[in-house]
Amino acid sequence: MLHIALPLHVYALTGSTLATGGVVAANVGASLLVGAVAGVYVDRWDRRRTLVVGNLALAAIVAPLALVTTADRVWIVYVVAFCQAVAVQFVHRPRQPCCRDSFPGSCSPPRTGSMRLNNNLARLVGPVLGGFAASLGIEAVAGFDLASFVVAALLVAAIGGSHRADRVEERHVGAELADGLRLIRATGVVAVLIGLLFVTSIGEGVMGALFAPFVVDALDGGAQELGWTMTAQAIGGIAYVIAGLLAAVLLRRHATSVARGAPQVGAVP
C-alpha cells in the first residue's frame, strides 16, 4: 500500500519528480546501510519476538504519515520511509526461518513456492488497497497500514515455541560481517548474483521514482489507476510462482533422472 500511496501523495503535494524520487532513495539508503547488519542481529535474537516487535515498530512508524497534509511537511514522508525500510530489514529476515522452525519440511520446494505465492497474492491485493486508500487521503493510508502491522504482530505472537537460531559461538558483529564479505568474494556464483541484484535494483529504483508521475501526467490517471497498474505486475509474479510450483512437483517425481543428468556445481566442462 505504501509503495502506491507515498510516491503519489508526494507528487500530488509537490509536483516534483525529484521529491518523489526521494521516497525511493530513502528506502534504498536504509536497505544499504542496515541490511547486512540486520541479518547478523536476527541470527542472535528470537525470531518470533523479532517479528512481533518489528511489526509493532512498523505500526508506530507509519502513524506520523497522517500529518503530511501540506508540501512543507513532506520531510516527514522521507523520515517515515527511511525508518520503515530499516524496520523492514528486521522483519523480512526472520520470516522464512521462523516458518521452517514451526513447520518441519517447510523449506521443501512446494512449501517454499507456496510462501512465494502468498507474497505475490499480497502484491496483487496491496496495490489495489493502496490506490483505494490513497483516494481517501493520506490519513486512510496510515490507518490501513497501521492496522495491517498490528494484525501481523498478533498473528505472529500466537506462534508458540522458541525460534532462536542455533549458534556455536557469538562473535563480534564486525567479524561476522567480514566473514560474509569474504564468502561473497570467494564464491563466484554469489558474487554474480549480488551484482545482478544491484543492477536490477537500479532499474527498479528508476521505475519506482517515475511511475507515479507517469500514470498521473502521461496516462491522466490517479491513485486507483496506479494501483491497478502495479497489480498487473503481481499477476506476472503469480504466474512465475505457479510455474515454479509445477517445476518443484516434476522435480520430486523425476529427481533421480534429473540428478543423474545434471552437472556438479563448480565442475569444469
Side-chain angles (χ1 to χ4, degrees):
M1 289 192 288
L2 285 180
H3 287 167
I4 295 297
L6 284 189
L8 194 67
H9 186 63
V10 170
Y11 188 66
L13 289 177
T14 65
S16 169
T17 55
L18 180 61
T20 307
V23 179
V24 178
N27 277 286
V28 175
S31 300
L32 289 174
L33 292 174
V34 182
V37 178
V40 176
Y41 278 108
V42 165
D43 282 341
R44 297 167 180 251
W45 300 335
D46 182 89
R47 291 159 176 162
R48 181 181 68 89
R49 188 177 296 116
T50 301
L51 284 169
V52 172
V53 173
N55 277 288
L56 291 177
L58 285 167
I61 288 169
V62 300
L65 287 177
L67 302 175
V68 187
T69 54
T70 57
D72 60 342
R73 295 181 179 177
V74 166
W75 63 269
I76 297 176
V77 173
Y78 301 140
V79 175
V80 169
F82 183 86
C83 294
Q84 189 251 359
V86 170
V88 162
Q89 301 304 311
F90 293 92
V91 171
H92 283 182
R93 297 291 190 280
R95 283 191 307 176
Q96 187 163 334
C98 191
C99 182
R100 180 190 62 217
D101 296 340
S102 302
F103 305 101
S106 62
C107 282
S108 62
R111 295 248 180 134
T112 303
S114 297
M115 291 177 65
R116 294 178 64 186
L117 179 62
N118 184 56
N119 289 338
N120 277 281
L121 287 173
R123 289 178 58 203
L124 185 70
V125 177
V128 178
L129 291 178
F132 172 73
S135 66
L136 298 178
I138 193 64
E139 298 89 351
V141 174
F144 277 121
D145 222 35
L146 189 154
S148 72
F149 290 129
V150 171
V151 170
L154 292 175
L155 290 173
V156 177
I159 300 174
S162 176
H163 298 272
R164 187 177 294 274
D166 296 329
R167 297 173 60 87
V168 177
E169 61 175 341
E170 188 166 296
R171 304 166 60 208
H172 191 272
V173 174
E176 294 193 24
L177 284 173
D179 287 344
L181 293 174
R182 280 193 292 269
L183 178 63
I184 293 171
R185 187 174 56 186
T187 309
V189 174
V190 177
V192 170
L193 289 176
I194 290 178
L196 178 64
L197 287 173
F198 177 80
V199 173
T200 56
S201 295
I202 293 175
E204 289 182 359
V206 173
M207 287 294 295
L210 297 179
F211 211 60
F214 174 75
V215 171
V216 172
D217 294 337
L219 302 183
D220 198 24
Q224 295 185 24
E225 288 77 12
L226 180 61
W228 283 111
T229 305
M230 294 297 289
T231 295
Q233 186 181 33
I235 294 174
I238 291 175
Y240 170 77
V241 172
I242 292 175
L245 289 172
L246 293 175
V249 173
L250 293 175
L251 182 62
R252 291 179 63 183
R253 291 182 179 178
H254 306 285
T256 303
S257 58
V258 171
R260 189 182 302 119
Q264 295 183 354
V265 176
V268 179

